[in-house]
Amino acid sequence: KQEVTQIPAALSVPEGENLVLNCSFTDSAIYNLQWFRQDPGKGLTSLLLIQSSQREQTSGRLNASLDKSSGRSTLYIAASQPGDSATYLCAVLTGANSKLTFGKGITLSVRP
Amino acid sequence: EAQVTQNPRYLITVTGKKLTVTCSQNMNHEYMSWYRQDPGLGLRQIYYSMNVEVTDKGDVPEGYKVSRKEKRNFPLILESPSPNQTSLYFCASRKRVETSYEQYFGPGTRLTVT
């Protein structure tokens, strides 16, 4: 059974800092890994999708990497801003039914 | 605009009163699914549908029903809601991207059962 872990559960950083959010998964036979952003009480916004054959994806100040063999992904946020404050979820797609398994998320607070 | 919509967005109801949460997508996606999100438990899949008239249980299907009579709609039915079904519910659809899929989520429905 696939398990996705995100540690720590919460993170507080000063504005302008570069930061890395970690995600690990137990079954390396994934189709892809997707990073989402969720604002309090809101829906999920897809940030980046990394196919299993890819090593990284970039969008603006965000860069996500994938090391499938070690079961790890990182989301790098450059020059963090208070508007980046949200919960960041990673999810992996695995299995015959192509099931999406989520981590519990990392709640990021960027202090002005 | 390509999107997944859910209605209602907020719902307060009483134990045992049947309710339906609607979900619709305008992207012609074959696959749709429902999740619930609870503090400390994260997002868990309730049901999914690979295509019209094809549905299957996810991780937490007890107390829920779904139907898929047409491609765009995937309603979630609670025949007899109970307080432990108080949660934030998300509908999702997905599109094919090369050899895998990208998920799109609706805005969520916050359900409170008293």
Side-chain angles (χ1 to χ4, degrees):
Chain A
K1 179 185 171 186
Q2 178 72 269
E3 292 181 3
V4 180
T5 302
Q6 294 183 255
I7 296 173
L11 186 62
S12 180
V13 301
E15 181 176 5
E17 191 163 297
N18 301 325
L19 59 104
V20 172
L21 306 181
N22 293 306
C23 172
S24 63
F25 47 94
T26 55
D27 182 354
S28 62
I30 65 171
Y31 293 107
N32 66 36
L33 184 145
Q34 202 166 349
W35 281 93
F36 295 89
R37 169 184 172 140
Q38 184 178 27
D39 292 291
K42 303 291 187 183
L44 280 71
T45 300
S46 180
L47 297 174
L48 289 165
L49 172 73
I50 311 177
Q51 302 282 6
S52 63
S53 59
Q54 297 174 325
R55 299 284 291 186
E56 64 177 357
Q57 282 288 330
T58 298
S59 175
R61 293 184 295 109
L62 306 179
N63 175 276
S65 68
L66 173 64
D67 184 343
K68 204 171 66 162
S69 61
S70 68
R72 294 182 186 277
S73 175
T74 61
L75 178 67
Y76 175 82
I77 303 176
S80 58
Q81 303 170 357
D84 294 330
S85 299
T87 296
Y88 291 82
L89 297 147
C90 76
V92 295
L93 194 67
T94 51
N97 292 330
S98 299
K99 180 182 171 183
L100 195 64
T101 303
F102 282 86
K104 293 181 181 177
I106 297 174
T107 299
L108 172 66
S109 174
V110 181
R111 307 186 300 273
Chain B
E1 179 190 354
Q3 60 183 346
V4 179
T5 57
Q6 296 178 226
N7 283 290
R9 296 288 315 281
Y10 303 91
L11 180 60
I12 301 174
T13 190
V14 296
T15 299
K17 185 177 181 182
K18 181 180 178 180
L19 66 91
T20 299
V21 183
T22 65
C23 173
S24 182
Q25 50 95 6
N26 61 2
M27 297 170 278
N28 202 37
H29 292 166
E30 293 181 346
Y31 183 102
M32 297 182 73
S33 57
W34 276 101
Y35 294 82
R36 61 177 290 173
Q37 186 178 33
D38 302 289
L41 297 176
L43 278 129
R44 296 175 292 167
Q45 191 181 58
I46 303 170
Y47 268 95
Y48 65 94
S49 169
M50 301 288 277
N51 211 329
V52 176
E53 301 292 359
V54 181
T55 64
D56 210 344
K57 297 176 181 178
D59 295 320
V60 288
E62 295 77 21
Y64 304 95
K65 283 176 57 178
V66 292
S67 69
R68 188 88 183 277
K69 293 184 171 56
E70 40 187 350
K71 186 181 269 193
R72 64 182 294 125
N73 296 322
F74 190 43
L76 179 70
I77 303 156
L78 285 71
E79 294 269 4
S80 183
S82 63
N84 65 12
Q85 292 178 299
T86 292
S87 187
L88 181 58
Y89 291 86
F90 290 103
C91 179
S93 68
R94 74 183 191 190
K95 76 170 184 180
R96 186 92 187 196
V97 177
E98 295 180 12
T99 58
S100 67
Y101 304 93
E102 183 171 12
Q103 312 282 332
Y104 294 84
F105 283 80
T109 295
R110 185 167 293 282
L111 172 66
T112 302
V113 184
T114 61

